[in-house]
Amino acid sequence: MLPRTSPSARNAGAKFPVLRKAVPVFAALGDETRLRLIALLCAGGALSITQLTIGTDITRQAVTKHLQVLADAGLVRDVRQGRERLWEFEPSRLDEARRSLDTITEQWDQALLRLKASLEA
């Protein structure tokens, strides 16, 4: 059963499209393996699946599936180099997610200011 949400929570996506656009990014980054893959790609540039599995017990097939989720979210892209496929980080979607967090931060700041004013009144 899905948790119930308030009408204001359901309307948040309509009022703030930047939040809706960031959902796939946050969902993709919510997995520890995918977050580790992003960290590796940020530090090491374009890497092959073989390079991404070195030193782990994760199969290349599992890494491929995780990379596809990240690609669907726009966080990575593959580049053909001969017969090999290299994966690289795509920072623009992460910047969009950061902007959505900035929006949420601003909402909280405004809510706290309203609460403060109400308590002081």
Side-chain angles (χ1 to χ4, degrees):
M1 180 176 204
L2 293 173
R4 293 183 181 205
T5 56
S6 69
S8 61
R10 285 191 298 268
N11 292 331
K15 290 166 74 176
F16 304 102
V18 68
L19 299 179
R20 182 174 299 233
K21 287 175 58 176
V23 169
V25 173
F26 290 120
L29 293 176
D31 180 86
E32 184 178 344
T33 300
R34 291 192 287 266
L35 197 54
R36 186 186 66 78
L37 290 171
I38 289 291
L40 287 170
L41 292 171
C42 285
L47 299 172
S48 69
I49 291 174
T50 302
Q51 292 169 313
L52 291 168
T53 57
I54 293 174
T56 70
D57 58 349
I58 302 170
T59 66
R60 289 191 311 229
Q61 185 178 13
V63 168
T64 300
K65 288 181 179 182
H66 283 294
L67 287 169
Q68 190 58 55
V69 171
L70 292 168
D72 290 345
L75 291 167
V76 299
R77 63 182 169 162
D78 64 326
V79 178
R80 288 262 183 224
Q81 188 172 32
R83 291 182 10 202
E84 195 168 39
R85 215 163 81 164
L86 300 178
W87 291 87
E88 61 187 13
F89 175 62
E90 180 59 52
S92 62
R93 291 288 289 161
L94 203 55
D95 290 338
E96 287 178 24
R98 182 188 46 76
R99 285 192 296 275
S100 70
L101 289 175
D102 291 344
T103 299
I104 293 168
T105 299
E106 180 63 29
Q107 289 173 337
W108 270 103
D109 289 345
Q110 291 173 9
L112 290 173
L113 286 174
R114 288 191 304 272
L115 176 62
K116 180 181 177 186
S118 174
L119 292 173
E120 290 175 347

